[in-house]
Amino acid sequence: MVGIIMGSDSDLPIMQEAIDILESFDIAVEVDIVSAHRTPEKLFDYANNAHKRGIQVIIAGAGGAAHLPGMVASMSPLPVIGVPVKSRNSIDGWDSVLSILQMPGGVPVATVALDGAKNAGILAAQIIGASDKCVLDKIIAYKQGLKLKVEKASEKVRK
């Protein structure tokens, strides 16, 4: 199972892409709002206990100062994938990108592109697929589908 958390419900339209891609791979998701700044106790509980509930990977999306992914990674033994979200109080999203990307040694957060929740979902599936053949096969088929899509588009434009 993949835990998908975000700092605010305004992040849900972006984070929905991670939910959708994981569900397309038949991977269970748990979705919640956990604010690093407004609900720190909930953040501590989530980060310390997610692995006890069967979560294998955490995807954390946040905008602005974007402390959520790093704080979760500091407490959880699970891999954490950060999704920087361009929010209305953001500085073109760069504050979010840098807040998630520039983690200190010993506290890794895999970081995807600004608003890149779909890639976060794919990366989470690949992490799970490293030890789950069924998920791995779905990733392989997905990537083959991407290749076929490009080949069909190439055939249309070549003359």
Side-chain angles (χ1 to χ4, degrees):
M1 185 186 326
V2 175
I4 299 176
I5 56 175
M6 61 208 83
S8 169
D9 61 349
S10 63
D11 300 330
L12 185 57
I14 297 299
M15 299 306 289
Q16 187 65 47
E17 293 183 16
I19 296 165
D20 293 345
I21 194 73
L22 287 163
E23 289 178 345
S24 78
F25 295 133
D26 297 318
I27 296 173
V29 296
E30 172 188 277
V31 181
D32 203 354
I33 295 172
V34 180
S35 172
H37 302 108
R38 295 178 295 258
T39 61
E41 296 85 1
K42 184 175 182 179
L43 179 147
F44 293 166
D45 180 62
Y46 187 91
N48 286 311
N49 295 302
H51 67 285
K52 297 174 187 172
R53 292 192 318 278
I55 301 290
Q56 295 173 288
V57 181
I58 297 170
I59 299 174
H67 290 111
L68 181 62
M71 289 301 298
V72 170
S74 75
M75 292 178 274
S76 178
L78 299 174
V80 176
I81 303 168
V83 179
V85 176
K86 184 176 179 185
S87 59
R88 62 182 162 80
N89 66 335
S90 182
I91 305 168
D92 282 340
W94 280 108
D95 48 348
S96 305
V97 170
L98 294 173
S99 293
I100 298 171
L101 185 67
Q102 293 297 105
M103 293 301 298
V107 187
V109 174
T111 309
V112 296
L114 184 64
D115 293 343
K118 181 176 183 178
N119 275 352
I122 294 166
L123 180 56
Q126 290 174 314
I127 291 168
I128 293 169
S131 61
D132 182 325
K133 175 118 172 56
C134 183
V135 173
L136 180 63
D137 289 343
K138 290 175 185 177
I139 294 291
I140 292 168
Y142 175 79
K143 291 195 174 225
Q144 183 64 26
L146 293 176
K147 176 184 172 186
L148 293 174
K149 185 176 178 180
V150 170
E151 288 172 351
K152 285 182 183 179
S154 176
E155 288 175 15
K156 284 183 181 179
V157 300
R158 272 187 298 166
K159 301 215 181 216

